[in-house]
Amino acid sequence: MTHPTPVLELRDVRKTYRLPHGQRLRAVDGISLRVMPGEMLGLVGESGCGKSTLGRCMLRLDDVSSGQVLFEGRDITTLSERKLRPLRPGMQMVFQNSTAALNPRRSIGDLLAEPLRVHPGPDGRRRAAATITARLHELMALVGLPASALARYPHAFSGGQRQRINIARALALSPRLVVADEPVSALDVSVQAQIVNLFAELRERLGLTYVFVAHDLAVVRQISTRVAVMYLGAIVECGGTDDVLHAPAHPYTAALIAAVPRPMVGAPPAMLLRGDVPSPVNRPAGCRFHTRCPQAQARCSAEEPQLRAIRPNHEVACHYPPGEENPPA
Amino acid sequence: MPADPVPLLDVRDLCVSVPANGSMIRLVENVSFCVNEAEIVGLVGESGSGKSVTAMALMGLIDSPGVQVSGSARFRGQELVGMAPRALRNLRGGDIAMIFQDPMTAFTPVYTIGWQIDEQIRAHERLSRRAARARTVQLLAEMGVPDPARTAQRYPHQLSGGLRQRAMIAMALSCNPTLLIADEPTTALDVTVQAQILDLLRGLRHSHGSSVLLITHDMGVVAQTCSRTLVLYSGRMAESGPTATLFARPAHPYTAALLDSIPPLYGTRPHRLPAIAGVPPTPQERPAGCAFGPRCAYVHATCLPAPPPLASIGAGQQAACVLPTEGKPLPPRATAQAMQP
Amino acid sequence: MIAPLLRRLGQTLLVLFGVSVLVFAVFFATPGADPTARIAGRNASPQIMEKVRLEYGFDRALPVQYATMMKKLFITRDLASYADRGELVVPQILQAAPVTACLVCGAAFIWVGASIIMGTLAAAMKDTWVDRTLMMAGLVGISIPVFWLGQVANLVTQSRYHDTWLFSWVPGLGYVPFSEDPGGWFRALVIPWVVLAVMFIGIYSRVLRADLVALAGEDFMRTARAKGLSPTRVMLRHGLRTALVTFVSLFGLDFAQLVGGGALLTEVVFGLPGVGRLTYRALTNLDLPVIMATVMYSAIFVVVANAVVDMVYLLLDPRVRDAR
């Protein structure tokens, strides 16, 4: 059996920030991950779990403190910005705040043409003006905006339309990998559904590989084929979307799912977790979740569980996942 | 359903207008609803629907120049619209209290949490500092704040989002309000913390006898918390009714479409989400007819000349739509989500 | 709380050292100019030149020259002005400093009080005629040059209307020490105080109003109103208290530069023998030791005031306290 090269591979990636008084904030704490071609990976977790930092590390928008980042099999961990530049068209990012990501003083056409002007075309030469114009019209059609939008300025658009423009910009150079950081969380529900659908359409038409960073489980479920749940800088559970969301193996995943208020009357009340997420500056020893875990036992506060497969394509970092009668010694 | 006693809050035809470019723009148009004793009522809508403006207008907290509030809002029989500022101030924080969205920015950064709660108590009651602090600590403890006496001495930025929101609720409850207006109280919080705060809000009816007017954009929050719900769209009422009825048999196409466009967490995943095309109109561009008309799948000639009046559908449900009166009500929602645990 | 204060103190000393090196370099280590001639003053005799060269060690290495200068300034305090017939510089400054301090403190008292009242009042009555009038008055205050205002004040109180009942109490130009005659001290200073304060009242009231208006849109101001507090309390305890953080940092720097000699024009116009007037005279005489000493004195004040402002910041803003 031959394995295709992952589009993105992380090997024990860590990102540590130094704080005053010699403290360290371990935002990303040893994450290994593979994203295969055509996959849509959802990265979920609560605020401060390090999911956005990890998203930026994937594209080397942030430097990692240790570990390796491989893009299409090539180690990009320590590449200089200059050597990274020819690879940039292949990996793009969509940000949460659609307004802040667009320069208000430049027209949409101008904003979208910029990457096309800066990066050479597939033949290695600068793109001709006519090629660029044709590409801009193509992009507008792709994200469902009229071509007339090109002449207008960002303020003339609603939040949902601006997010379409941001997506168009990310797609301008035909990337293989798109990392989207909370792309729909600032949008109203009715508009959010439009953008979620757009992402699904684009994957079918362009064969893209996505990483979605999001806190909304329902959105992640709709969009992704695989889900990785993060807690305090580490992945606690990872697997196929339906496996993880229908049969969560980590108590944190289960609590996260149960806590989502469901839009139906008479649903059972949420299982409540105690307290808040601990600070990533002094994270608990042992299992990082044991301070809030309803099933925590003595072993959990002493020994840190490693991510292990409990089924094909389903890994969990828990000493006592449900359904496992005899926990490994 | 028991016969309605005199409602705690009775809002009728509330309109809020602000001047812009020489004319008055109606941010909120003819909104009517009531909140009974010990009841949680949800006010839902997307951004710009006028849900927050409605609450702020009730409390007399809109201070943009030239704002006009008309209609009627009776709180225990007292008219709030046009009430003298001093009398309204005595109600604010006393009988009617508010909770805001972002507990980080909603506390003054330079005072401790305890100081700010004491301040509210002492603004409404003649109480010594010591007695006020004792009540503050007790309230924080009731809200599930660990080590309440020390937490009271901490500054807002030193607390987590969940604790700040608990402190905010403690402050709102400090003078035993009969009505609590909560404006997106959980939007800035993580889901696990949101679940804790919603649980707390649900319990207030029994522990403190408070009614809650819950303003939110999240249909899930409404379903889990509110007994009755009011749906706003572009500053107008789209639909109101008991939450269970509203979710099972929405009478307004907007309510139905909004519910459909939420990605399900259980059951089959739709290939595409049934999204609503387009965006809500801004108050300036609101059409003469039904505001939802341009995005509605059922729009027809009757909808266009004037906004459809609020029609009673039965069992306390009302919708501003012509379909029920034309004898073509919407089908009940396919409750695929209800199948799952 | 102690550790950040100590750290700040260390930083202050370091900055002072840097400033003194810089000032020394500008005056004495500039290539192509003979510092001896500068200190000795114009038309100095060869004997005096030789004496100065020996005294200041100008024939030795630069670090030694620097050390000599610092010793003369801070330890032996025998830095002498040759242009002014050998008068010792440091005692001169020590004598002038209280005059400047009295002038600036009085003015600061007036401008802080007046600008807080004006700024808060204007913000509370935003967009009314009160607001517009106060802010227009502030603008006028900023635009009037202090020496012109001083001259006009002198003209009115000293000559034109001096003999009327209105201004007959005004003493002649000059300074009366507080220890000799408190009443006379007050009478001599009250007009300079007001004149010096006018511009700052203008700036501070406008800045404060802008801050308060911006704060009025903040969530916590809305919370304060929702708590049922009176508008006055919301404005003072929540708005003004928060706005004070920026106000204090602005004040610290202005106050320091005035004490350090920035009130020069006011002192000259009213004949007050303060540090500013000392600098002014030294400049006109090209009296290098005095200039050097006043610049050092002024630098010390600005740096120390900066440190004080930072510490007050720690007291005023709990967020800053935790960030250290």
Side-chain angles (χ1 to χ4, degrees):
Chain A
M1 206 169 112
T2 56
H3 291 285
T5 320
V7 178
L8 181 81
E9 185 173 356
L10 304 180
R11 291 183 187 156
D12 197 29
V13 167
R14 287 167 202 275
K15 174 73 183 174
T16 310
Y17 293 100
R18 280 163 196 276
L19 301 181
H21 310 299
Q23 287 179 307
R24 279 152 188 258
L25 189 152
R26 282 181 284 185
V28 176
D29 199 12
I31 284 188
S32 301
L33 199 64
R34 286 173 160 206
V35 185
M36 304 311 279
E39 202 168 52
M40 324 234 310
L41 175 73
L43 211 53
V44 294
E46 295 179 283
S47 53
C49 72
K51 55 189 193 298
S52 290
T53 308
L54 185 64
R56 285 200 305 277
C57 287
M58 286 175 175
L59 300 184
R60 272 287 313 277
L61 296 175
D62 265 359
D63 286 331
V64 302
S65 306
S66 73
Q68 280 178 299
V69 182
L70 284 81
F71 176 64
E72 295 181 331
R74 183 168 173 191
D75 189 345
I76 61 166
T77 322
T78 53
L79 283 190
S80 69
E81 199 49 53
R82 204 166 57 87
K83 286 196 173 148
L84 209 53
R85 202 177 304 149
L87 300 177
R88 285 273 183 229
M91 42 183 189
Q92 290 290 320
M93 185 134 188
V94 177
F95 295 95
Q96 166 177 9
N97 190 332
S98 62
T99 313
L102 297 172
N103 183 339
R105 290 186 188 81
R106 296 176 66 183
S107 73
I108 303 307
D110 193 21
L111 282 166
L112 292 184
E114 189 173 40
L116 296 165
R117 289 197 209 104
V118 172
H119 288 280
D123 54 356
R125 278 191 261 158
R126 286 183 54 148
R127 287 169 229 252
T131 324
I132 293 181
T133 314
R135 177 70 182 149
L136 292 185
H137 283 86
E138 210 175 291
L139 285 169
M140 285 288 107
L142 207 55
V143 299
L145 286 173
S148 63
L150 289 169
R152 294 160 73 188
Y153 288 82
H155 68 84
F157 297 92
S158 68
Q161 289 169 323
R162 275 198 291 263
Q163 201 54 293
R164 288 176 193 268
I165 295 165
N166 274 316
I167 293 169
R169 182 167 60 175
L171 296 179
L173 295 165
S174 314
R176 272 92 69 200
L177 172 69
V178 173
V179 175
D181 187 359
E182 301 271 11
V184 298
S185 59
L187 304 174
D188 276 320
V189 185
S190 73
V191 179
Q192 172 177 300
Q194 299 168 9
I195 303 295
V196 166
N197 286 345
L198 178 63
F199 273 110
E201 261 162 48
L202 290 173
R203 182 179 82 125
E204 286 162 21
R205 280 163 71 171
L206 306 174
L208 289 174
T209 307
Y210 288 119
V211 175
F212 280 97
V213 179
H215 69 276
D216 187 330
L217 284 174
V219 165
V220 165
R221 177 177 186 257
Q222 182 67 26
I223 285 182
S224 16
T225 52
R226 205 151 68 92
V227 172
V229 182
M230 283 182 73
Y231 187 78
L232 281 179
I235 292 179
V236 294
E237 182 164 4
C238 184
T241 302
D242 289 329
D243 290 339
V244 172
L245 293 182
H246 292 173
H250 197 284
Y252 177 62
T253 315
L256 207 55
I257 296 169
V260 176
R262 294 160 61 187
M264 56 169 286
V265 176
M271 174 188 96
L272 291 183
L273 279 184
R274 289 163 300 182
D276 285 315
V277 184
S279 153
V281 178
N282 341 292
R283 71 164 186 80
C287 175
R288 53 195 77 220
F289 185 58
H290 83 262
T291 53
R292 300 174 78 198
C293 184
Q295 298 147 31
Q297 298 180 32
R299 182 182 170 198
C300 301
S301 52
E303 188 187 335
E304 184 174 354
Q306 300 299 313
L307 209 57
R308 61 194 169 90
I310 48 163
R311 269 193 291 274
N313 192 25
H314 193 167
E315 295 171 284
V316 63
C318 180
H319 291 307
Y320 307 103
E324 216 171 87
E325 294 305 321
N326 301 310
Chain B
M1 200 174 171
D4 269 358
V6 177
L8 184 66
L9 177 71
D10 191 0
V11 178
R12 291 199 187 185
D13 297 322
L14 188 78
C15 297
V16 182
S17 322
V18 289
N21 302 328
S23 63
M24 295 301 280
I25 291 176
R26 282 190 163 185
L27 298 180
V28 171
E29 217 170 82
N30 299 324
V31 168
S32 308
F33 64 97
C34 60
V35 181
N36 295 321
E37 300 274 350
E39 183 185 36
I40 305 186
V41 174
L43 206 56
V44 268
E46 299 180 277
S47 47
S49 62
K51 55 191 192 300
S52 288
V53 176
T54 303
M56 296 299 238
L58 291 179
M59 299 285 279
L61 286 177
I62 305 178
D63 62 347
S64 58
V67 65
Q68 280 180 13
V69 181
S70 64
S72 150
R74 287 182 169 272
F75 174 73
R76 293 176 147 173
Q78 285 173 283
E79 182 59 59
L80 298 179
V81 177
M83 184 185 254
R86 183 177 290 271
L88 193 55
R89 216 159 63 218
N90 285 336
L91 281 182
R92 278 207 298 256
D95 275 338
I96 311 179
M98 275 193 97
I99 307 171
F100 298 101
Q101 170 172 351
D102 190 345
M104 176 70 235
T105 54
F107 277 113
T108 307
V110 295
Y111 296 117
T112 61
I113 296 287
W115 189 96
Q116 302 191 45
I117 303 178
D118 295 349
E119 186 189 30
Q120 173 157 352
I121 298 174
R122 282 162 58 84
H124 292 276
E125 290 171 43
R126 297 180 63 88
L127 226 62
S128 71
R129 270 171 212 289
R130 188 182 294 260
R133 175 54 60 97
R135 192 196 292 181
T136 297
V137 171
Q138 192 203 335
L139 277 164
L140 286 172
E142 281 169 28
M143 294 308 118
V145 171
D147 199 357
R150 270 194 57 209
T151 307
Q153 289 166 23
R154 310 195 67 182
Y155 290 94
H157 72 276
Q158 295 170 325
L159 303 181
S160 68
L163 278 185
R164 276 197 296 259
Q165 198 59 297
R166 284 172 194 273
M168 180 54 80
I169 297 174
M171 184 160 86
L173 292 177
S174 61
C175 297
N176 293 314
T178 35
L179 176 64
L180 197 61
I181 301 181
D183 190 355
E184 302 268 11
T186 58
T187 306
L189 306 175
D190 281 317
V191 274
T192 55
V193 181
Q194 166 172 285
Q196 298 166 359
I197 299 294
L198 290 180
D199 191 52
L200 190 61
L201 283 178
R202 275 191 295 263
L204 291 183
R205 273 175 304 172
H206 313 298
S207 61
H208 290 77
S210 306
S211 303
V212 181
L213 179 62
L214 182 74
I215 298 162
T216 180
H217 70 280
D218 189 329
M219 292 305 251
V221 169
V222 173
Q224 300 306 306
T225 326
C226 306
S227 52
R228 280 187 310 117
T229 300
L230 180 77
V231 182
L232 291 183
Y233 184 79
S234 186
R236 293 178 187 157
M237 286 178 71
E239 181 167 2
S240 73
T243 309
T245 322
L246 199 100
F247 276 68
R249 290 190 304 279
H252 197 288
Y254 172 64
T255 317
L258 193 61
L259 287 169
D260 285 341
S261 63
I262 303 169
L265 195 51
Y266 300 92
T268 48
R269 259 190 284 177
H271 180 62
R272 289 285 183 271
L273 286 173
I276 313 175
V279 289
T282 61
Q284 289 99 318
E285 305 164 331
R286 197 182 293 139
C290 175
F292 188 59
R295 301 173 79 190
C296 182
Y298 304 90
V299 66
H300 53 288
T302 7
C303 310
L304 300 179
L310 219 51
S312 186
I313 308 201
Q317 197 179 9
Q318 289 182 305
C321 183
V322 295
L323 292 179
T325 45
E326 285 173 355
K328 291 175 282 188
L330 293 176
R333 282 186 79 229
T335 45
Q337 302 204 13
M339 314 303 274
Q340 289 293 317
Chain C
M1 197 74 188
I2 299 297
L5 289 183
L6 284 179
R7 193 159 48 234
R8 193 68 188 84
L9 196 69
Q11 285 169 0
T12 308
L13 290 176
L14 206 69
V15 170
L16 279 178
F17 172 72
V19 169
S20 67
V21 169
L22 201 70
V23 171
F24 174 79
V26 166
F27 285 125
F28 298 105
T30 327
D34 182 5
T36 319
R38 290 202 192 179
I39 287 199
R42 278 172 291 195
N43 316 321
S45 66
Q47 291 89 336
I48 293 188
M49 293 277 274
E50 193 51 42
K51 181 167 170 261
V52 168
R53 203 187 312 277
L54 274 177
E55 190 183 337
Y56 288 89
F58 283 136
D59 45 356
R60 299 165 71 183
L62 272 179
V64 180
Q65 293 180 25
Y66 170 80
T68 314
M69 183 60 78
M70 289 306 125
K71 193 188 90 191
K72 280 177 154 306
L73 257 180
F74 293 110
I75 300 166
T76 54
R77 298 190 196 151
D78 59 350
L79 186 67
S81 155
Y82 283 84
D84 206 5
R85 292 174 303 284
E87 181 123 16
L88 290 182
V89 174
V90 177
Q92 252 183 322
I93 290 183
L94 292 181
Q95 218 170 23
V99 182
T100 303
C102 288
L103 170 69
V104 175
C105 288
F109 193 74
I110 295 176
W111 99 59
V112 167
S115 60
I116 285 182
I117 293 172
M118 281 172 65
T120 315
L121 208 59
M125 311 184 80
K126 190 164 89 78
D127 296 331
T128 62
W129 64 268
V130 177
D131 175 26
R132 279 190 285 271
T133 314
L134 285 175
M135 287 304 105
M136 184 55 73
L139 198 61
V140 170
I142 297 171
S143 336
I144 297 177
V146 63
F147 59 86
W148 181 85
L149 188 64
Q151 294 287 20
V152 170
N154 276 344
L155 193 72
V156 171
T157 60
Q158 298 288 341
S159 50
R160 204 61 192 269
Y161 296 99
H162 186 66
D163 297 330
T164 64
W165 60 270
L166 204 57
F167 293 116
S168 54
W169 55 269
V170 181
L173 295 184
Y175 180 70
V176 181
F178 184 79
S179 51
E180 280 175 22
D181 173 11
W185 172 82
F186 182 82
R187 282 196 296 274
L189 280 176
V190 65
I191 293 174
W193 283 342
V194 174
V195 167
L196 181 57
V198 161
M199 179 183 78
F200 292 100
I201 295 177
I203 297 175
Y204 280 59
S205 59
R206 290 179 71 91
V207 167
L208 185 62
R209 175 192 178 271
D211 272 357
L212 285 174
V213 167
L215 281 176
E218 292 283 337
D219 286 353
F220 65 79
M221 293 292 274
R222 185 190 53 189
T223 308
R225 292 199 293 143
K227 281 159 82 174
L229 307 179
S230 71
T232 320
R233 189 174 172 97
V234 172
M235 182 56 101
L236 297 183
R237 293 310 290 266
H238 291 264
L240 187 59
R241 172 64 179 77
T242 314
L244 272 188
V245 178
T246 31
F247 193 88
V248 161
S249 60
L250 200 64
F251 175 77
L253 292 182
D254 278 332
F255 183 79
Q257 67 96 8
L258 283 181
V259 174
L264 187 150
L265 290 173
T266 316
E267 286 176 3
V268 171
V269 167
F270 290 102
L272 299 170
V275 181
R277 208 174 66 139
L278 194 65
T279 317
Y280 173 77
R281 275 191 14 229
L283 283 169
T284 42
N285 297 339
L286 272 180
D287 191 346
L288 206 55
V290 180
I291 298 176
M292 166 85 193
T294 47
V295 169
M296 253 338 273
Y297 163 86
S298 158
I300 290 174
F301 252 96
V302 172
V303 173
V304 169
N306 232 326
V308 172
V309 166
D310 275 14
M311 291 170 198
V312 173
Y313 240 78
L314 291 181
L315 291 177
L316 281 181
D317 195 335
R319 289 166 295 181
V320 180
R321 224 174 293 160
D322 287 353
R324 295 292 164 96

